């Protein structure tokens, strides 16, 4: 999966894992979501569309509608969005186990994002 990720997505997921190791669970969740958001935005751009600027929920809907991510990933995408909002806005700290789960879910979602330009390269070979 890492070889398919762009620099931005890979950087965020690496930082998420580093934040986990350093005990910064809230930051790990935020970085994990950033990796997924960057992947969705890149996939949308590569499909020839412009990513919505309306917000995370609309970005997820746009990617799902364009079938740039598997439909069965929707609950995980929504869960990541909610976890990110909690990490950013809540005064309750994210626990280690929850942060580990979120980073793992983010990695699973990243594996389900379709990049049209990569598919076109595969077809030309």
């Amino acid at each position: 999966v890492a070889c398919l990720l762009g620099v931005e997505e890979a950087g965020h997921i690496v930082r998420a894992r580093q934040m986990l190791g350093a005990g910064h669970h809230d930051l790990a969740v935020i970085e994990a979501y950033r990796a997924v958001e960057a992947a969705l935005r890149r996939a949308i751009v590569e499909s020839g569309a412009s990513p919505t600027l309306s917000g995370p929920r609309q970005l997820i809907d746009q990617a799902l509608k364009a079938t740039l991510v598997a439909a069965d990933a929707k609950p995980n995408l929504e869960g990541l969005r909610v976890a990110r909002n909690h990490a950013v806005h809540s005064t309750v700290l994210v626990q280690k186990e929850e942060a580990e789960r979120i980073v793992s879910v983010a990695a699973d979602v990243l594996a389900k994002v379709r990049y049209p330009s990569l598919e076109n390269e595969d077809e030309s070979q």
Side-chain angles (χ1 to χ4, degrees):
V1 175
C3 63
L4 298 179
L5 294 179
V7 173
E8 185 177 4
E9 298 101 295
H12 286 302
I13 204 71
V14 165
R15 280 190 297 282
R17 291 181 175 134
Q18 290 170 338
M19 293 297 105
L20 274 177
H24 301 294
H25 306 127
D26 292 353
L27 294 176
V29 169
I30 293 165
E31 286 296 326
Y33 181 78
R34 285 180 178 164
V36 171
E37 182 178 40
L40 295 178
R41 287 186 185 285
R42 182 164 70 104
I44 290 166
V45 167
E46 288 184 4
S47 76
S50 295
T52 181
L53 300 175
S54 299
R57 182 176 284 144
Q58 291 78 9
L59 182 70
I60 290 168
D61 289 344
Q62 183 181 14
L64 287 165
K65 186 175 180 181
T67 64
L68 296 171
V69 65
D72 66 353
K74 183 175 182 172
N76 285 339
L77 286 164
E78 282 299 316
L80 289 167
R81 184 187 63 76
V82 169
R84 179 257 176 217
N85 286 347
H86 172 82
V88 170
H89 300 292
S90 179
T91 57
V92 178
L93 296 177
V94 177
Q95 298 300 307
K96 178 182 179 182
E97 296 77 20
E98 179 65 2
E100 289 171 342
R101 186 187 71 75
I102 293 297
V103 172
S104 176
V105 167
D108 290 345
V109 168
L110 287 171
K112 293 182 178 187
V113 177
R114 288 185 35 242
Y115 296 103
S117 65
L118 291 176
E119 290 176 4
N120 292 336
E121 287 175 15
D122 290 342
E123 292 171 5
S124 65
Q125 293 177 3

